[in-house]
Amino acid sequence: MAVFSSLSINSAFMFLFFIFSFGIDSNGIFQSIGNGKTLVSSGGRFELGFFSPGNSKNRYLGIWYKNIPIQTVVWVANRCDPIPDSSGLLTMNTTGNLVLLYRNESVVWSTSLLKQARKPIAQLLDSGNLVLRDGEDRNSTREIFLWQSFDHPTDTLLPGMKFGWDLRTGLNRRLSAWKTAEDPCLGDFSYAFEIGRHTYHEAYLYKGTEKYYRAGPWNGIGFSGSPELRPNLLFKFDFVDNEDELYYMYSLTNDSIITRIVLNQTTTSRERHTWIESDQNWRLYSSAPRDHCDDYGLCGTNGNCIITENPVCQCLKGFKPKSQEKWNFMDWSEGCVRNTPLNCLDRERNGFEKFAGIKLPAALHSWVNKSMNTKECREKCLSNCSCMAYSNSDIRGQGSGCILWFGDLIDVRKFPLGGQDLYIRMPASELGEKAKQKMRVVILVAIVGAVSGMLLLLGFCIWKRTGFKEEDNNEDQGVGLDQLPLFDLSTIMIATDNFSVSNKLGQGGFGPVYKGKLEDGQEIAVKRLSNCSGQGVNEFKNEVVLISKLQHRNLVKLLGYCIHREEKLLIYEYMPNKSLDFFIFDQMQGMQLNWPKRFQIICGIARGLLYLHQDSRLRIVHRDLKTNNVLLDDEMNPKISDFGMARTFGGDQIEGNTNIIVGTYGYMAPEYAYNGLFSTKSDIFSFGVMVLEIVSGKRSRCLHPQLDGLTLTGHAWKLMNEGREIEMLDSSLRDSHSSSEVLRCIHVGLLCVQQRTADRPNMSSVVVMLGSESVLPQPKKPGYFMETDPPQGCHDSSPSNKFTISVLEAR
Ligand SMILES: *[C@@H]1O[C@H](CO)[C@@H](O)[C@H](O)[C@H]1NC(C)=O
Ligand SMILES: *[C@@H]1O[C@H](CO)[C@@H](O)[C@H](O)[C@H]1NC(C)=O
Ligand SMILES: *[C@@H]1O[C@H](CO)[C@@H](O)[C@H](O)[C@H]1NC(C)=O
Ligand SMILES: *[C@@H]1O[C@H](CO)[C@@H](O)[C@H](O)[C@H]1NC(C)=O
């Protein structure tokens, strides 16, 4: 319309083109929209009109995407005041307000302008914003809207929309979910910024009036509670916190992306969806809360939620459960109290313990000064007896600004990756303890390094003769043999019926494995190391020492061992469901593992590996990860087994080298297979291969004629580049899968099988990636792209073959 031609548009609004508007025409006659008529934005992205959600007969005035076949409503005017028939009419009244009329008489909804416009004009902008402006009010420097739908969001946050407060007018832009898919009225699930006095402001998800999830303070880069959400190739984030305004906003780096944040009443989560043109569907991109640890205040006061722990709630270091009894029963509501009370008056005897990787506590009793530096911040905290902790308010660069917390700390969690530093005040006695611990760790690492080095060089007997055990009075570094039950050979003979063939479960690289039953009825698996191989002795010792230290629900548990003359036995818990390969590579058995189960298995293996690589006191590289070595318990929980090849790393050693390359074709990382270099990253490679196998039901070491000479990794990469990676999915999973999880697994799998070790994530990143919906880096061409070697052992899919180790090359 001509009235707009003279308006010049600020570059920030370049994307807001409009092709339609309505208002007062030269004759003063209103244009209006009735049922069946719609108003389309200039770029053709959005449409305003009447709609009925689902099977409902009610009519609502709303805005939706014009070009998306699945009707996706992003804004509703009369959310809770439906029009029961088709008589609704949107028009503009004499004061320039938009009015929604029912049967041409009763007002169902209207805008309320504070000042009357001389020449009111209504427009639907291509951003999805319905605006009212004054045609007479021309200003070349900025857009002035008398009213805009972006100021009254419903359940959706679009790019360019402000979420938060206009502190000058008291306008609070908050989101609230639809009650149901057919009723856009306010559900009891909402998302809003809570404004703190003299402190930081936080956005919360609420169920009713109850806080349910906390995004955490803005730290200059992102929200403290979402360390994985960083500015990326798709969006830019903006956070404004000044005297006038407090808001969060995101914008697109590429206009052709269609994305929205929405509150979903059904899942009670805040979700980001992105439109996938090739699927003609929305894809869930991220959601909050992500996990149990995101539940607001789950671990009580001074508790620390650590998602990789079991149970997830721990007391912060220096604190103990207020009620140990309740805590033991996983009732964390009473939280934790200090081991030793603070003696605040004696400043010299106070210090701060640094907690890294933290989601900062809730703002309840806190104070902020954005211009203080870290040193001033610490001083300020020390000088006030009720100050409990401090942190930087902005973590960019060296960190700046100051937040102080008083009293108990609420809703703290520790992230496996990312997060920020929190300094908690401690009495000197607790700090001293810590310092001592630190020293012990250093000594321990040195000894463990020396011990494992020796063990690798010396035989079991030599080790025994040196009497190392006698010197070894620190239980931390005990090789574990004394703590493990030593079984009598006769007991095991009875349990396995003299190692009868009928009890044989399989043949491992260093000997057969038997099923047995102890007198008390407990079922066991017995690994009998053959004595012909000199290696067996080392492996035996290695395995006993290692596994006795490992306690994790995703690692198979060693119950004991037995040495009798030449006989060396390892006694494990018995896994009734065999190994993973038995299921996933078999069409029939594969049915028993639907997608949710498989996803659980992938996550379980990841957690087990994370423990091996990082969380156990020894850094352990397994070196022979494969589906045969993942056993399943009676509930199909995965347990990593067979540590005969495992190596420990002391301290910060990250890579080792070996002349004897052991492992299995198809799973070995290139640098290991070719150069004998092994590291946690070579395990990551094997993990990635397993993930792709679990998703596809195809063995990586087999040639699959339908893959055009590509390996499984090459195939995955090709499909991903073509956006068809979902086609990798095992056909038996078609009914049970969640595409977002499948795509994520394939993506993570590909990242793990990158040719260069530096391109592979570490295990904690993998765990985070699997558990969240954050943006993942783009994978490059993976290792073993083409099939050049002949397939190995493809047809030996005997389910019992679970301890296979192929010694490929000895140089
Ligand atoms: C345009 O807006 C700017 C910023 O608000 C203001 O300073 C200026 O006076 C306005 N110009 C006119 C012509 O209204
Ligand atoms: C935006 O995305 C489209 C489609 O993916 C692409 O063709 C275009 O080049 C991108 N534009 C920019 C500026 O990156
Ligand atoms: C914040 O810290 C700065 C620098 O130390 C100081 O000058 C200022 O007065 C402080 N503001 C408040 C409100 O304490
Ligand atoms: C310590 O901080 C609290 C909370 O801000 C305040 O109420 C109290 O007055 C402060 N005490 C001192 C001695 O500054």
Side-chain angles (χ1 to χ4, degrees):
M1 268 185 145
V3 284
F4 302 115
S5 55
S6 57
L7 275 177
S8 59
I9 296 159
N10 183 307
S11 62
F13 289 85
M14 279 306 282
F15 61 99
L16 312 176
F17 296 108
F18 17 81
I19 54 163
F20 197 103
S21 64
F22 62 105
I24 301 171
D25 71 11
S26 50
N27 301 318
I29 299 169
F30 305 125
Q31 288 187 6
S32 53
I33 325 179
N35 215 42
K37 273 177 87 180
T38 62
L39 175 65
V40 177
S41 66
S42 63
R45 280 174 175 252
F46 288 95
E47 190 167 18
L48 170 78
F50 289 91
F51 71 98
S52 293
N55 295 321
S56 166
K57 295 273 180 292
N58 288 331
R59 304 294 286 166
Y60 296 90
L61 178 73
I63 298 173
W64 55 87
Y65 293 93
K66 166 111 178 90
N67 293 323
I68 288 181
I70 301 170
Q71 189 180 58
T72 309
V73 174
V74 297
W75 183 77
V76 186
N78 53 327
R79 290 187 77 168
C80 298
D81 303 294
I83 297 173
D85 55 28
S86 60
S87 71
L89 185 73
L90 178 69
T91 181
M92 188 180 279
N93 70 10
T94 48
T95 59
N97 276 299
L98 286 176
V99 188
L100 179 57
L101 294 176
Y102 167 49
R103 298 221 167 122
N104 240 336
E105 48 200 23
S106 51
V107 175
V108 174
W109 172 88
S110 80
T111 61
S112 45
L113 298 184
L114 292 174
K115 79 173 204 218
Q116 187 160 352
R118 281 161 292 178
K119 189 169 183 184
I121 295 163
Q123 294 169 325
L124 179 61
L125 306 185
D126 207 30
S127 59
N129 195 4
L130 176 65
V131 301
L132 274 176
R133 69 159 87 238
D134 193 336
E136 295 282 302
D137 192 358
R138 289 165 197 191
N139 192 322
S140 56
T141 56
R142 68 188 182 103
E143 293 282 330
I144 302 166
F145 301 132
L146 300 172
W147 179 91
Q148 54 179 329
S149 63
F150 270 17
D151 277 344
H152 306 275
T154 53
D155 67 339
T156 303
L157 192 71
L158 292 172
M161 223 164 144
K162 291 174 178 175
F163 168 66
W165 292 75
D166 185 330
L167 299 167
R168 295 160 299 198
T169 61
L171 173 73
N172 181 9
R173 306 179 199 87
R174 50 183 294 161
L175 304 180
S176 50
W178 285 25
K179 219 175 212 168
T180 67
E182 301 197 338
D183 184 358
C185 192
L186 277 72
D188 70 345
F189 176 49
S190 61
Y191 186 44
F193 263 107
E194 187 161 280
I195 311 190
R197 264 174 177 272
H198 310 300
T199 185
Y200 54 90
H201 318 291
E202 298 192 274
Y204 283 94
L205 286 177
Y206 298 87
K207 269 181 188 161
T209 53
E210 205 163 302
K211 287 171 184 171
Y212 163 62
Y213 165 79
R214 186 175 63 97
W218 186 266
N219 58 27
I221 300 174
F223 290 110
S224 176
S226 314
E228 76 284 0
L229 268 190
R230 288 283 181 262
N232 53 65
L233 291 175
L234 306 182
F235 327 114
K236 284 179 303 210
F237 308 124
D238 251 327
F239 183 76
V240 171
D241 179 10
N242 57 33
E243 295 205 332
D244 294 340
E245 291 192 279
L246 163 72
Y247 66 82
Y248 161 85
M249 184 168 94
Y250 69 95
S251 50
L252 303 177
T253 50
N254 184 332
D255 241 6
S256 57
I257 298 162
I258 299 179
T259 178
R260 68 200 161 100
I261 288 175
V262 67
L263 291 194
N264 183 335
Q265 176 82 34
T266 317
T267 59
T268 51
S269 50
R270 182 199 71 202
E271 300 174 343
R272 181 189 280 282
H273 294 265
T274 304
W275 179 256
I276 306 299
E277 194 59 39
S278 54
D279 288 5
Q280 287 291 293
N281 211 340
W282 291 102
R283 183 181 289 173
L284 183 66
Y285 177 93
S286 65
S287 72
R290 289 154 296 194
D291 56 29
H292 209 29
C293 279
D294 270 349
D295 291 357
Y296 180 67
L298 178 75
C299 299
T301 50
N302 309 313
N304 187 7
C305 199
I306 309 176
I307 198 68
T308 49
E309 295 282 329
N310 188 14
V312 292
C313 282
Q314 314 277 317
C315 284
L316 285 163
K317 211 184 287 166
F319 292 77
K320 58 173 189 241
K322 188 164 179 202
S323 157
Q324 186 68 49
E325 200 180 330
K326 288 189 176 177
W327 195 268
N328 291 347
F329 283 96
M330 297 203 225
D331 173 357
W332 302 302
S333 55
E334 295 199 358
C336 308
V337 292
R338 285 191 184 274
N339 291 333
T340 319
L342 274 177
N343 179 359
C344 168
L345 298 176
D346 190 355
R347 273 187 57 166
E348 295 304 306
R349 312 209 50 188
N350 275 215
F352 290 94
E353 172 95 34
K354 174 176 163 179
F355 291 74
I358 293 292
K359 171 180 179 179
L360 295 182
L364 302 177
H365 306 289
S366 57
W367 176 91
V368 172
N369 181 332
K370 287 188 208 155
S371 40
M372 273 184 177
N373 64 32
T374 311
K375 195 158 164 261
E376 290 169 330
C377 190
R378 182 191 167 92
E379 276 305 306
K380 178 97 183 164
C381 189
L382 268 183
S383 70
N384 185 323
C385 271
S386 44
C387 181
M388 172 86 155
Y390 74 90
S391 176
N392 283 132
S393 57
D394 191 328
I395 61 169
R396 285 175 293 186
Q398 296 287 321
S400 62
C402 179
I403 310 179
L404 303 182
W405 286 268
F406 305 97
D408 291 327
L409 304 176
I410 310 275
D411 199 34
V412 171
R413 73 175 290 184
K414 180 170 166 50
F415 293 107
L417 195 74
Q420 51 201 100
D421 297 339
L422 174 69
Y423 296 85
I424 302 180
R425 192 177 199 148
M426 293 286 165
S429 57
E430 296 285 337
L431 285 171
E433 182 63 23
K434 161 82 179 167
K436 271 178 249 154
Q437 271 174 15
K438 241 184 195 161
M439 280 167 65
R440 270 219 301 272
V441 170
V442 172
I443 294 166
L444 176 70
V445 164
I447 293 177
V448 165
V451 169
S452 36
M454 278 171 69
L455 293 187
L456 293 169
L457 289 170
L458 307 175
F460 184 61
C461 306
I462 301 171
W463 169 74
K464 222 172 174 181
R465 248 190 292 137
T466 54
F468 191 82
K469 240 184 198 165
E470 274 133 48
E471 294 164 20
D472 170 16
N473 48 13
N474 182 337
E475 62 169 54
D476 273 337
Q477 66 207 15
V479 273
L481 282 176
D482 0 329
Q483 287 131 43
L484 260 188
L486 176 63
F487 284 80
D488 260 356
L489 184 59
S490 56
T491 312
I492 302 301
M493 298 285 273
I494 295 166
T496 57
D497 196 10
N498 284 336
F499 300 113
S500 75
V501 179
S502 61
N503 276 336
K504 190 166 161 181
L505 291 170
Q507 177 72 36
F510 295 100
V513 182
Y514 297 89
K515 182 183 172 180
K517 197 171 196 173
L518 297 175
E519 271 185 342
D520 62 4
Q522 186 180 8
E523 292 185 308
I524 53 173
V526 180
K527 184 171 174 182
R528 188 183 194 186
L529 296 171
S530 56
N531 41 24
C532 50
S533 116
Q535 267 172 322
V537 177
N538 269 332
E539 310 318 331
F540 175 72
K541 175 198 58 208
N542 198 6
E543 193 156 1
V544 174
V545 170
L546 274 180
I547 308 185
S548 62
K549 287 176 186 295
L550 302 177
Q551 297 286 338
H552 191 276
R553 69 200 138 125
N554 294 115
L555 303 182
V556 70
K557 196 164 151 201
L558 186 67
L559 300 175
Y561 70 107
C562 167
I563 303 180
H564 187 88
R565 302 226 173 94
E566 296 295 287
E567 199 75 69
K568 297 172 203 75
L569 307 173
L570 289 169
I571 294 101
Y572 289 99
E573 58 178 333
Y574 173 69
M575 291 291 132
N577 275 323
K578 311 206 167 97
S579 52
L580 188 54
D581 59 323
F582 173 71
F583 291 94
I584 59 172
F585 300 129
D586 185 290
Q587 283 258 296
M588 289 309 294
Q589 303 298 343
M591 311 270 231
Q592 293 188 48
L593 292 181
N594 63 9
W595 175 254
K597 206 72 223 175
R598 287 194 197 200
F599 187 60
Q600 213 177 317
I601 288 172
I602 290 173
C603 294
I605 301 171
R607 280 192 295 268
L609 258 188
L610 175 65
Y611 175 82
L612 284 182
H613 286 178
Q614 268 157 286
D615 294 350
S616 64
R617 276 177 292 181
L618 302 163
R619 203 184 257 271
I620 292 166
V621 180
H622 186 286
R623 294 209 297 164
D624 195 23
L625 284 171
K626 52 182 170 179
T627 51
N628 316 41
N629 283 342
V630 175
L631 307 185
L632 298 170
D633 71 5
D634 46 3
E635 289 174 336
M636 295 287 186
N637 295 312
K639 303 214 179 210
I640 299 170
S641 77
D642 208 344
F643 295 81
M645 293 297 125
R647 290 288 184 89
T648 56
F649 279 155
D652 49 9
Q653 184 189 0
I654 52 166
E655 197 173 77
N657 198 326
T658 182
N659 287 330
I660 302 170
I661 297 173
V662 289
T664 307
Y665 258 132
Y667 293 95
M668 272 190 292
E671 74 279 3
Y672 181 49
Y674 298 137
N675 300 320
L677 284 174
F678 65 90
S679 64
T680 50
K681 290 293 180 78
S682 42
D683 274 359
I684 302 274
F685 188 95
S686 313
F687 172 78
V689 171
M690 278 200 283
V691 171
L692 296 176
E693 289 187 330
I694 294 169
V695 172
S696 67
K698 289 192 173 65
R699 275 182 200 274
S700 72
R701 59 184 168 167
C702 300
L703 254 186
H704 299 280
Q706 68 271 39
L707 305 190
D708 296 334
L710 292 175
T711 57
L712 190 61
T713 58
H715 179 58
W717 196 66
K718 176 167 172 276
L719 286 180
M720 181 156 193
N721 278 337
E722 294 166 3
R724 301 190 294 143
E725 59 269 44
I726 197 77
E727 290 173 23
M728 261 194 96
L729 189 66
D730 190 333
S731 53
S732 70
L733 298 176
R734 294 275 145 82
D735 296 334
S736 65
H737 78 281
S738 134
S739 9
S740 69
E741 280 170 4
V742 171
L743 295 175
R744 184 152 284 259
C745 284
I746 295 173
H747 198 143
V748 171
L750 268 172
L751 290 174
C752 292
V753 296
Q754 295 291 287
Q755 175 80 25
R756 293 180 48 227
T757 52
D759 292 334
R760 297 176 210 151
N762 62 17
M763 218 52 223
S764 55
S765 315
V766 168
V767 169
V768 171
M769 288 176 185
L770 288 173
S772 78
E773 298 282 345
S774 55
V775 187
L776 302 179
Q778 213 46 42
K780 300 175 191 155
K781 191 162 148 177
Y784 301 128
F785 183 70
M786 295 293 289
E787 185 74 61
T788 46
D789 301 322
Q792 294 267 323
C794 187
H795 301 291
D796 102 52
S797 54
S798 150
S800 56
N801 190 16
K802 67 175 70 147
F803 289 104
T804 307
I805 292 166
S806 329
V807 178
L808 294 175
E809 192 183 347
R811 296 180 301 182

